[in-house]
Every structure is written in C-alpha cells, then in structure tokens.
Amino acid sequence: MSVHTSGAPDGPVLDRLDEAECLRLISPGGIGRIVYMGRYGLTVLPVNYKLYGGSILFRTGQDSPTGEDLQTGIAHAEYQVAFEIDDINPAAHEGWSVLIHGPAHQMTTDTERALVEESGVEPWGPGPKELAIRITPDRIAGRRLRQG
Amino acid sequence: MSVHTSGAPDGPVLDRLDEAECLRLISPGGIGRIVYMGRYGLTVLPVNYKLYGGSILFRTGQDSPTGEDLQTGIAHAEYQVAFEIDDINPAAHEGWSVLIHGPAHQMTTDTERALVEESGVEPWGPGPKELAIRITPDRIAGRRLRQG
C-alpha cells in the first residue's frame, strides 16, 4: 500500500502511505494530537479520538482553551486544524505517523450530538467535555519507517 | 511538582507540571514531534531528539521539506516552532505531555557541529540528516493525567 519508498535497501526505509492505508492505521482510534494555531501560539494536545464515518471525533470542554480557540466567531466559518496520530517503536526503529488537515466542526445540533453518542468517543482529560469536534479530512498524509 | 490540579478526587486528575518537572520528564530523549507552520500548512513530524544543554536537538535533511521550511532566509531571524513530547498509557488512562515553544536554530558553525556530535543525537528517518536543529525553549508547559 506504500506509494513511494526511499532509503538504502539494507537500512531504514521510509514509505509514503496512501490515504486508504492511513485510514486503516488510524481506524482503531485511541490517542491522537489536535494541533492548531491558538491564542498562545502553536498548540498541540493529546486527546482521545474515534474515526467515525471517515472523520476524526474528539471531545473537549465548551469553555476550555481548546473549545474557545476553535471557535471562529463567524457563522459557517471553521477553524483549520491538523490532527496527528502515530505509533512508534524506538527500540526497533520502526513506526508510522499520519497527519490529517481539515476544518474543526463543532457538533452542536441534536443530530450531531446523537452521532457523537453513537460513536462512543470518550474524553481524555477530566471534567465536563460537552463539546465534540469533528475533523473531516481535506488531506491525509502518512509515512512509515521500517527496516529494509 | 504539580502546581495546579483539577478534577474530582475519585476520578482522573489533570496536573499542570512546572518547568523543572517537564525537563525531568523529557530528559531521557527519544521520540518527539516537531510542529510548525510550513509551506503545506501545519506540519507535525515525529523525530528523534536529545535534551542537551537545556535545549532540544534533532536532525533533519538540509534539503528536506523540514530543513527548507525552517529557514527564514533572513540572517539571525529564526523560525518559531513547537515541540511536543508525550508518554501516554491509554489502558491505564494516565500519561503526560510537554509542549515547548522556541526558535529553531540551525547548528551550522564548527562549534555547533561539535556540540551536535557530542550530544549523540541520531536521526529518525533514513538518508543524510546533515542538518541539526536546536530549539532553545522560550516557554515550557506540561500536564499529567492520573487517576485520583
């Protein structure tokens, strides 16, 4: 499923991963990192996510810095964010990473809230996490390092 | 070493970590994520790092997208980046993350190259990684999730 390979045949090899392979790798859900340019500069926060209907879903607090940062204040305008997931084995010097770009949509209608419940996504941190964010990928890129 | 705590006493608790605790947590080195606003938008890439002399050191290719992105083209002007390190145990629902902000300095003088060698930092990906980048933290923030 790799679409491009570089590296010496007997050393580590870096494969570019196509979208289907990226989605397969991230489909179990778990911990990913929401990344955006916030009021305090570049922000990177681990969150618990689910891949649901082809989108990333995670939860945060409505009044948390992240919840507030991801509101543009303009109707139908959505904040552009990135979402990173990786699984790396430093000892084996192998692993993969996937980077998604897309708008951060706030799931606020009744229909959307029902979808969030259905997805079963749980928050990572403590406290009320009543706001669910959905990132529908505009762009998916991934790479895998393996021993050749 | 936590300086602020929130959460119910019998649920997960989120501790803010002070700088000394953040530096202690990241001092073993390993895999972190370089984060910056690059030509393709928000970029997040796992790299191998060392904490050396209080700074983050990692290696990349001089002509790689990252190497090129992190050059401002203006003498003495350095790209502002973030660097994220975390260690998370999803099963236990515990873990910590550290976020560093600072300028990405290219280690190009002989003295700087000697420091890079001394640090022993190894590249993560394959191919020549002749460019070493040093991030001297302007700001260090961290948090730890634990079961109360």
Side-chain angles (χ1 to χ4, degrees):
Chain A
M1 294 289 257
S2 65
V3 294
H4 177 72
T5 294
S6 67
D10 55 349
V13 178
L14 192 69
D15 294 331
R16 305 262 159 210
L17 306 174
D18 63 23
E19 286 196 15
E21 178 68 354
C22 289
L23 289 171
R24 189 188 69 75
L25 287 168
I26 69 172
S27 62
I31 297 292
R33 294 158 200 90
I34 171 74
V35 180
Y36 60 92
M37 184 59 85
R39 77 187 99 168
Y40 304 118
L42 286 167
T43 303
V44 188
L45 275 181
V47 295
N48 214 22
Y49 79 96
K50 289 254 184 184
L51 182 71
Y52 195 67
S55 294
I56 299 288
L57 272 184
F58 71 93
R59 290 168 61 166
T60 186
Q62 184 86 51
D63 301 324
S64 68
T66 300
E68 292 181 350
D69 271 349
L70 297 182
Q71 297 173 32
T72 59
I74 303 164
H76 311 300
E78 293 173 345
Y79 219 94
Q80 289 292 319
V81 301
F83 198 82
E84 194 258 6
I85 311 105
D86 61 44
D87 186 9
I88 288 170
N89 181 339
H93 207 93
E94 293 190 326
W96 56 263
S97 62
V98 167
L99 184 60
I100 286 173
H101 288 90
H105 175 71
Q106 312 216 350
M107 303 287 273
T108 52
T109 70
D110 288 350
T111 309
E112 288 172 339
R113 284 177 193 274
L115 279 175
V116 173
E117 287 306 310
E118 205 176 288
S119 78
V121 65
E122 294 291 338
W124 174 243
K129 302 288 182 185
E130 66 281 46
L131 178 62
I133 305 277
R134 182 184 66 200
I135 305 169
T136 301
D138 286 336
R139 191 150 42 102
I140 304 177
R143 53 186 214 167
R144 184 195 282 120
L145 189 73
R146 61 182 170 84
Q147 296 307 310
Chain B
M1 294 294 257
S2 64
V3 294
H4 178 72
T5 295
S6 68
D10 55 349
V13 177
L14 192 68
D15 295 330
R16 306 262 159 209
L17 306 175
D18 63 24
E19 286 195 17
E21 178 68 355
C22 290
L23 289 171
R24 189 188 69 77
L25 287 167
I26 69 173
S27 62
I31 298 292
R33 296 160 198 90
I34 172 75
V35 181
Y36 60 91
M37 184 60 85
R39 78 189 96 168
Y40 304 118
L42 286 167
T43 303
V44 187
L45 277 181
V47 294
N48 215 21
Y49 80 95
K50 288 253 184 185
L51 183 70
Y52 195 68
S55 294
I56 298 287
L57 272 183
F58 70 94
R59 290 168 60 165
T60 186
Q62 184 85 51
D63 302 323
S64 69
T66 299
E68 291 181 352
D69 271 350
L70 297 183
Q71 296 174 32
T72 59
I74 303 165
H76 311 300
E78 293 174 345
Y79 219 93
Q80 289 290 320
V81 301
F83 199 83
E84 194 258 5
I85 311 106
D86 61 43
D87 185 10
I88 288 171
N89 181 339
H93 206 92
E94 292 190 325
W96 56 263
S97 62
V98 168
L99 184 60
I100 285 173
H101 290 91
H105 175 72
Q106 311 215 353
M107 303 286 273
T108 52
T109 68
D110 288 349
T111 309
E112 287 171 339
R113 283 177 195 274
L115 278 175
V116 173
E117 286 307 309
E118 203 176 290
S119 78
V121 65
E122 294 292 337
W124 174 242
K129 303 288 182 185
E130 65 283 44
L131 179 62
I133 305 276
R134 183 185 66 201
I135 306 168
T136 301
D138 285 336
R139 192 150 42 103
I140 304 176
R143 53 186 213 165
R144 182 194 284 120
L145 189 73
R146 60 181 170 85
Q147 296 306 311

